[in-house]
mmCIF file of all heavy atoms in Angstrom:
data_model
loop_
_atom_site.group_PDB
_atom_site.id
_atom_site.type_symbol
_atom_site.label_atom_id
_atom_site.label_comp_id
_atom_site.label_asym_id
_atom_site.label_seq_id
_atom_site.Cartn_x
_atom_site.Cartn_y
_atom_site.Cartn_z
ATOM 1 N N GLU Q 31 107.847 96.202 101.659
ATOM 2 C CA GLU Q 31 107.120 97.276 100.943
ATOM 3 C C GLU Q 31 105.970 96.740 100.036
ATOM 4 O O GLU Q 31 105.139 97.543 99.569
ATOM 5 C CB GLU Q 31 108.071 98.115 100.087
ATOM 6 C CG GLU Q 31 108.919 99.124 100.827
ATOM 7 C CD GLU Q 31 109.569 100.105 99.878
ATOM 8 O OE1 GLU Q 31 108.828 100.852 99.228
ATOM 9 O OE2 GLU Q 31 110.809 100.087 99.777
ATOM 10 N N GLN Q 40 101.987 104.563 100.850
ATOM 11 C CA GLN Q 40 103.036 104.120 101.770
ATOM 12 C C GLN Q 40 103.272 105.136 102.880
ATOM 13 O O GLN Q 40 104.315 105.825 102.985
ATOM 14 C CB GLN Q 40 104.350 103.839 100.974
ATOM 15 C CG GLN Q 40 104.168 102.750 99.966
ATOM 16 C CD GLN Q 40 105.467 102.431 99.282
ATOM 17 O OE1 GLN Q 40 105.613 102.648 98.098
ATOM 18 N NE2 GLN Q 40 106.429 101.921 100.037
ATOM 19 N N ASP Q 78 103.595 108.095 108.860
ATOM 20 C CA ASP Q 78 104.232 109.293 108.220
ATOM 21 C C ASP Q 78 103.356 109.906 107.121
ATOM 22 O O ASP Q 78 103.257 109.287 106.019
ATOM 23 C CB ASP Q 78 105.600 108.871 107.687
ATOM 24 C CG ASP Q 78 106.369 110.038 107.064
ATOM 25 O OD1 ASP Q 78 105.782 111.137 106.853
ATOM 26 O OD2 ASP Q 78 107.556 109.861 106.767
ATOM 27 N N HIS Q 80 103.952 113.094 106.591
ATOM 28 C CA HIS Q 80 104.780 114.196 106.284
ATOM 29 C C HIS Q 80 105.395 114.160 104.855
ATOM 30 O O HIS Q 80 105.450 115.125 104.142
ATOM 31 C CB HIS Q 80 105.932 114.229 107.320
ATOM 32 C CG HIS Q 80 106.953 115.293 107.122
ATOM 33 N ND1 HIS Q 80 106.665 116.651 107.108
ATOM 34 C CD2 HIS Q 80 108.307 115.227 106.961
ATOM 35 C CE1 HIS Q 80 107.763 117.338 106.940
ATOM 36 N NE2 HIS Q 80 108.760 116.474 106.842
ATOM 37 N N ARG Q 89 104.055 120.231 94.733
ATOM 38 C CA ARG Q 89 103.435 119.965 93.423
ATOM 39 C C ARG Q 89 102.171 120.736 93.241
ATOM 40 O O ARG Q 89 101.234 120.298 92.521
ATOM 41 C CB ARG Q 89 103.145 118.451 93.259
ATOM 42 C CG ARG Q 89 104.349 117.523 93.207
ATOM 43 C CD ARG Q 89 105.134 117.718 91.896
ATOM 44 N NE ARG Q 89 106.170 116.726 91.766
ATOM 45 C CZ ARG Q 89 107.438 116.930 92.238
ATOM 46 N NH1 ARG Q 89 107.769 118.038 92.798
ATOM 47 N NH2 ARG Q 89 108.363 115.936 92.098
ATOM 48 N N ASN Q 90 102.097 121.890 93.921
ATOM 49 C CA ASN Q 90 100.970 122.764 93.731
ATOM 50 C C ASN Q 90 99.589 122.119 94.127
ATOM 51 O O ASN Q 90 98.577 122.341 93.571
ATOM 52 C CB ASN Q 90 100.899 123.295 92.306
ATOM 53 C CG ASN Q 90 100.115 124.561 92.152
ATOM 54 O OD1 ASN Q 90 100.016 125.321 93.133
ATOM 55 N ND2 ASN Q 90 99.499 124.820 90.996
ATOM 56 N N GLU Q 121 111.084 84.312 109.072
ATOM 57 C CA GLU Q 121 111.300 83.247 108.062
ATOM 58 C C GLU Q 121 112.769 83.088 107.798
ATOM 59 O O GLU Q 121 113.241 81.988 107.433
ATOM 60 C CB GLU Q 121 110.534 83.654 106.799
ATOM 61 C CG GLU Q 121 110.302 82.491 105.863
ATOM 62 C CD GLU Q 121 109.416 82.903 104.716
ATOM 63 O OE1 GLU Q 121 108.283 83.395 104.909
ATOM 64 O OE2 GLU Q 121 109.811 82.743 103.524
ATOM 65 N N ARG Q 169 97.541 80.366 123.510
ATOM 66 C CA ARG Q 169 96.613 81.278 122.738
ATOM 67 C C ARG Q 169 95.158 80.886 123.094
ATOM 68 O O ARG Q 169 94.897 79.754 123.408
ATOM 69 C CB ARG Q 169 96.825 81.125 121.207
ATOM 70 C CG ARG Q 169 98.124 81.699 120.666
ATOM 71 C CD ARG Q 169 98.220 83.201 120.844
ATOM 72 N NE ARG Q 169 99.438 83.705 120.245
ATOM 73 C CZ ARG Q 169 100.624 83.932 120.841
ATOM 74 N NH1 ARG Q 169 100.783 83.518 122.090
ATOM 75 N NH2 ARG Q 169 101.643 84.422 120.188
ATOM 76 N N LEU Q 170 94.284 81.878 122.965
ATOM 77 C CA LEU Q 170 92.862 81.617 123.125
ATOM 78 C C LEU Q 170 92.388 80.646 121.996
ATOM 79 O O LEU Q 170 92.928 80.700 120.931
ATOM 80 C CB LEU Q 170 92.061 82.897 123.119
ATOM 81 C CG LEU Q 170 92.322 83.900 124.210
ATOM 82 C CD1 LEU Q 170 91.595 85.212 123.856
ATOM 83 C CD2 LEU Q 170 91.908 83.387 125.578
ATOM 84 N N ASP Q 183 77.486 87.966 121.357
ATOM 85 C CA ASP Q 183 78.054 88.476 122.650
ATOM 86 C C ASP Q 183 78.502 87.354 123.531
ATOM 87 O O ASP Q 183 77.967 86.230 123.432
ATOM 88 C CB ASP Q 183 77.078 89.449 123.331
ATOM 89 C CG ASP Q 183 77.819 90.427 124.197
ATOM 90 O OD1 ASP Q 183 79.069 90.356 124.295
ATOM 91 O OD2 ASP Q 183 77.125 91.354 124.717
ATOM 92 N N TYR Q 184 79.399 87.608 124.392
ATOM 93 C CA TYR Q 184 79.993 86.643 125.283
ATOM 94 C C TYR Q 184 79.086 86.376 126.491
ATOM 95 O O TYR Q 184 78.696 87.310 127.158
ATOM 96 C CB TYR Q 184 81.387 87.074 125.750
ATOM 97 C CG TYR Q 184 82.301 87.558 124.600
ATOM 98 C CD1 TYR Q 184 82.884 88.825 124.653
ATOM 99 C CD2 TYR Q 184 82.499 86.704 123.522
ATOM 100 C CE1 TYR Q 184 83.688 89.237 123.573
ATOM 101 C CE2 TYR Q 184 83.317 87.155 122.467
ATOM 102 C CZ TYR Q 184 83.867 88.406 122.504
ATOM 103 O OH TYR Q 184 84.704 88.796 121.463
ATOM 104 N N GLU Q 197 94.005 80.130 132.376
ATOM 105 C CA GLU Q 197 94.002 80.272 133.832
ATOM 106 C C GLU Q 197 94.602 79.044 134.516
ATOM 107 O O GLU Q 197 95.119 79.182 135.656
ATOM 108 C CB GLU Q 197 92.551 80.454 134.344
ATOM 109 C CG GLU Q 197 92.029 81.817 133.927
ATOM 110 C CD GLU Q 197 90.549 82.031 134.247
ATOM 111 O OE1 GLU Q 197 89.729 81.123 134.047
ATOM 112 O OE2 GLU Q 197 90.176 83.138 134.710
ATOM 113 N N GLN Q 216 93.032 89.766 137.687
ATOM 114 C CA GLN Q 216 93.473 90.841 138.573
ATOM 115 C C GLN Q 216 94.935 91.227 138.364
ATOM 116 O O GLN Q 216 95.354 92.348 138.555
ATOM 117 C CB GLN Q 216 93.236 90.436 140.025
ATOM 118 C CG GLN Q 216 91.774 90.439 140.426
ATOM 119 C CD GLN Q 216 91.602 90.080 141.865
ATOM 120 O OE1 GLN Q 216 92.515 89.637 142.568
ATOM 121 N NE2 GLN Q 216 90.353 90.127 142.385
ATOM 122 N N MET J 27 108.215 83.636 101.498
ATOM 123 C CA MET J 27 108.748 84.953 101.127
ATOM 124 C C MET J 27 108.416 85.210 99.611
ATOM 125 O O MET J 27 108.132 86.333 99.242
ATOM 126 C CB MET J 27 110.229 85.039 101.361
ATOM 127 C CG MET J 27 110.776 86.449 101.108
ATOM 128 S SD MET J 27 112.478 86.638 101.559
ATOM 129 C CE MET J 27 112.380 86.554 103.362
ATOM 130 N N GLU J 57 96.957 83.462 114.796
ATOM 131 C CA GLU J 57 96.946 83.743 116.251
ATOM 132 C C GLU J 57 98.337 83.679 116.845
ATOM 133 O O GLU J 57 98.507 84.171 117.969
ATOM 134 C CB GLU J 57 96.047 82.738 116.996
ATOM 135 C CG GLU J 57 94.614 82.961 116.893
ATOM 136 C CD GLU J 57 93.824 82.198 117.983
ATOM 137 O OE1 GLU J 57 94.012 82.395 119.159
ATOM 138 O OE2 GLU J 57 93.030 81.261 117.590
ATOM 139 N N GLN J 66 95.381 89.145 123.152
ATOM 140 C CA GLN J 66 94.670 88.997 121.892
ATOM 141 C C GLN J 66 93.432 89.879 121.790
ATOM 142 O O GLN J 66 92.318 89.414 121.830
ATOM 143 C CB GLN J 66 94.278 87.501 121.715
ATOM 144 C CG GLN J 66 95.542 86.576 121.653
ATOM 145 C CD GLN J 66 95.140 85.167 121.405
ATOM 146 O OE1 GLN J 66 95.342 84.296 122.261
ATOM 147 N NE2 GLN J 66 94.612 84.853 120.222
ATOM 148 N N ASP J 104 89.129 94.596 119.974
ATOM 149 C CA ASP J 104 88.151 94.078 120.907
ATOM 150 C C ASP J 104 88.717 94.081 122.335
ATOM 151 O O ASP J 104 89.547 93.210 122.653
ATOM 152 C CB ASP J 104 87.729 92.643 120.461
ATOM 153 C CG ASP J 104 86.651 92.020 121.390
ATOM 154 O OD1 ASP J 104 86.388 92.596 122.491
ATOM 155 O OD2 ASP J 104 86.129 90.985 121.014
ATOM 156 N N HIS J 106 86.375 94.180 124.635
ATOM 157 C CA HIS J 106 85.157 93.722 125.325
ATOM 158 C C HIS J 106 85.364 92.340 125.987
ATOM 159 O O HIS J 106 84.924 92.126 127.082
ATOM 160 C CB HIS J 106 84.026 93.668 124.230
ATOM 161 C CG HIS J 106 82.711 93.164 124.773
ATOM 162 N ND1 HIS J 106 82.043 93.749 125.811
ATOM 163 C CD2 HIS J 106 81.970 92.116 124.316
ATOM 164 C CE1 HIS J 106 80.909 93.049 125.993
ATOM 165 N NE2 HIS J 106 80.834 92.102 125.115
ATOM 166 N N ARG J 115 85.755 87.903 136.995
ATOM 167 C CA ARG J 115 86.812 87.394 137.878
ATOM 168 C C ARG J 115 87.240 88.361 138.980
ATOM 169 O O ARG J 115 88.332 88.372 139.433
ATOM 170 C CB ARG J 115 88.092 87.099 137.046
ATOM 171 C CG ARG J 115 87.950 85.956 136.041
ATOM 172 C CD ARG J 115 87.830 84.559 136.663
ATOM 173 N NE ARG J 115 87.830 83.543 135.641
ATOM 174 C CZ ARG J 115 86.741 83.042 135.101
ATOM 175 N NH1 ARG J 115 85.549 83.539 135.397
ATOM 176 N NH2 ARG J 115 86.830 82.084 134.195
ATOM 177 N N ASN J 116 86.190 89.188 139.334
ATOM 178 C CA ASN J 116 86.435 90.089 140.490
ATOM 179 C C ASN J 116 87.583 91.089 140.280
ATOM 180 O O ASN J 116 88.295 91.454 141.213
ATOM 181 C CB ASN J 116 86.623 89.291 141.793
ATOM 182 C CG ASN J 116 86.360 90.095 143.030
ATOM 183 O OD1 ASN J 116 85.558 91.043 142.990
ATOM 184 N ND2 ASN J 116 87.042 89.754 144.133
ATOM 185 N N ARG J 195 106.385 100.908 93.864
ATOM 186 C CA ARG J 195 106.640 101.272 95.267
ATOM 187 C C ARG J 195 107.695 102.350 95.278
ATOM 188 O O ARG J 195 108.536 102.457 94.383
ATOM 189 C CB ARG J 195 107.158 100.032 96.042
ATOM 190 C CG ARG J 195 106.110 98.986 96.292
ATOM 191 C CD ARG J 195 104.985 99.452 97.192
ATOM 192 N NE ARG J 195 104.047 98.339 97.545
ATOM 193 C CZ ARG J 195 102.959 98.046 96.837
ATOM 194 N NH1 ARG J 195 102.666 98.651 95.693
ATOM 195 N NH2 ARG J 195 102.193 97.042 97.226
ATOM 196 N N LEU J 196 107.685 103.149 96.366
ATOM 197 C CA LEU J 196 108.724 104.161 96.573
ATOM 198 C C LEU J 196 110.048 103.433 96.769
ATOM 199 O O LEU J 196 110.075 102.313 97.327
ATOM 200 C CB LEU J 196 108.402 105.035 97.777
ATOM 201 C CG LEU J 196 107.132 105.877 97.692
ATOM 202 C CD1 LEU J 196 106.828 106.545 99.045
ATOM 203 C CD2 LEU J 196 107.301 106.946 96.621
ATOM 204 N N ASP J 209 115.045 115.059 107.591
ATOM 205 C CA ASP J 209 113.909 115.669 106.922
ATOM 206 C C ASP J 209 114.087 115.672 105.440
ATOM 207 O O ASP J 209 115.188 115.625 104.923
ATOM 208 C CB ASP J 209 113.664 117.079 107.482
ATOM 209 C CG ASP J 209 112.150 117.460 107.370
ATOM 210 O OD1 ASP J 209 111.389 116.688 106.839
ATOM 211 O OD2 ASP J 209 111.785 118.523 107.822
ATOM 212 N N TYR J 210 112.934 115.744 104.736
ATOM 213 C CA TYR J 210 112.900 115.653 103.274
ATOM 214 C C TYR J 210 113.256 117.003 102.666
ATOM 215 O O TYR J 210 112.654 118.027 103.053
ATOM 216 C CB TYR J 210 111.539 115.182 102.782
ATOM 217 C CG TYR J 210 111.078 113.968 103.508
ATOM 218 C CD1 TYR J 210 109.834 113.917 104.166
ATOM 219 C CD2 TYR J 210 111.868 112.766 103.510
ATOM 220 C CE1 TYR J 210 109.409 112.767 104.823
ATOM 221 C CE2 TYR J 210 111.421 111.643 104.220
ATOM 222 C CZ TYR J 210 110.179 111.619 104.890
ATOM 223 O OH TYR J 210 109.780 110.527 105.526
ATOM 224 N N GLU J 223 105.630 109.303 89.303
ATOM 225 C CA GLU J 223 105.027 110.360 88.478
ATOM 226 C C GLU J 223 105.159 110.101 86.988
ATOM 227 O O GLU J 223 104.365 110.547 86.168
ATOM 228 C CB GLU J 223 105.652 111.693 88.867
ATOM 229 C CG GLU J 223 105.244 112.187 90.240
ATOM 230 C CD GLU J 223 105.922 113.490 90.652
ATOM 231 O OE1 GLU J 223 107.165 113.601 90.438
ATOM 232 O OE2 GLU J 223 105.257 114.305 91.272
ATOM 233 N N GLN J 242 97.887 116.315 92.916
ATOM 234 C CA GLN J 242 96.547 116.946 92.949
ATOM 235 C C GLN J 242 95.469 115.883 92.811
ATOM 236 O O GLN J 242 94.321 116.092 93.311
ATOM 237 C CB GLN J 242 96.461 118.007 91.865
ATOM 238 C CG GLN J 242 97.272 119.200 92.065
ATOM 239 C CD GLN J 242 97.164 120.243 90.958
ATOM 240 O OE1 GLN J 242 96.541 119.980 89.927
ATOM 241 N NE2 GLN J 242 97.736 121.405 91.162
#
Side-chain angles (χ1 to χ4, degrees):
Chain Q
E31 283 195 62
Q40 298 184 245
D78 182 348
H80 177 58
R89 294 289 187 270
N90 201 27
E121 198 174 306
R169 290 295 185 270
L170 295 172
D183 208 354
Y184 310 125
E197 291 174 318
Q216 290 179 352
Chain J
M27 186 173 290
E57 282 196 62
Q66 300 183 245
D104 182 349
H106 177 57
R115 294 289 187 269
N116 201 27
R195 290 294 186 270
L196 295 172
D209 208 355
Y210 311 124
E223 291 175 318
Q242 289 179 353

